[in-house]
């Protein structure tokens, strides 16, 4: 089975289900993808007293606007998604399978909560 076949992109035959994959990634995308993006955009563009604290995100916004911010977020999500698929399908490693979406979920909850605190303070 070669990487060019595309057959490795399925969870069939692994010890993980597509339902668990969808569930953990839905939560990760809701917190890190949607929650953080919406609250960061609200703060950066609508509250003039605050700026982005993360230097990489700040650079992306200053250089490319909102598209740079979204592009950087998508890059992180896709890298974590690739690691999760690789860990689950090829390596059968639960830490690599569940770790990236769990990390994004925790990070998304913390950052979204912090952004909401700033937004409503």
């Amino acid at each position: 089975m070669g990487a060019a076949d595309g057959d490795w992109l399925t969870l069939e035959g692994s010890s993980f289900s597509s339902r668990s994959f969808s569930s953990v990634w839905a939560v990760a995308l809701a917190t890190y993808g949607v929650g953080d993006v919406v609250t960061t955009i609200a703060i950066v563009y609508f509250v003039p007293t605050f700026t982005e604290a993360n230097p990489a995100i700040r650079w992306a916004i200053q250089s490319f606007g909102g598209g740079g911010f979204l592009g950087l977020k998508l890059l992180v999500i896709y890298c974590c998604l690739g690691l999760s698929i690789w860990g689950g399908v090829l390596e059968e490693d639960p830490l690599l399978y569940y770790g990236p979406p769990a990390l994004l979920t925790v990070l998304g909850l913390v950052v979204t909560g912090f952004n909401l605190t700033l937004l409503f303070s």
Side-chain angles (χ1 to χ4, degrees):
M1 165 172 67
D5 297 339
D7 294 338
W8 68 277
L9 293 175
T10 179
L11 290 171
E12 290 181 28
S14 74
S15 59
F16 305 106
S17 71
S18 59
R19 182 180 169 120
S20 70
F21 184 81
S22 300
S23 298
V24 296
W25 276 100
V27 174
L29 292 175
T31 57
Y32 182 78
V34 176
D36 181 33
V37 168
V38 170
T39 57
T40 299
I41 288 172
I43 288 173
V44 168
Y45 289 105
F46 300 112
V47 181
T49 57
F50 294 117
T51 60
E52 176 59 45
N54 183 330
I57 297 291
R58 185 174 50 242
W59 172 81
I61 291 172
Q62 289 172 347
S63 300
F64 304 104
F69 170 59
L70 293 176
L72 196 55
K73 294 291 275 189
L74 284 173
L75 178 66
V76 170
I77 290 170
Y78 287 148
C79 287
C80 288
L81 182 62
L83 184 62
S84 182
I85 291 171
W86 174 71
V89 176
L90 298 178
E91 297 297 320
E92 293 284 327
D93 185 349
L95 182 61
L96 286 177
Y97 183 73
Y98 292 112
L103 179 68
L104 289 182
T105 298
V106 170
L107 183 61
L109 286 171
V110 169
V111 174
T112 300
F114 181 74
N115 286 348
L116 288 172
T117 302
L118 289 176
L119 197 58
F120 294 110
S121 64

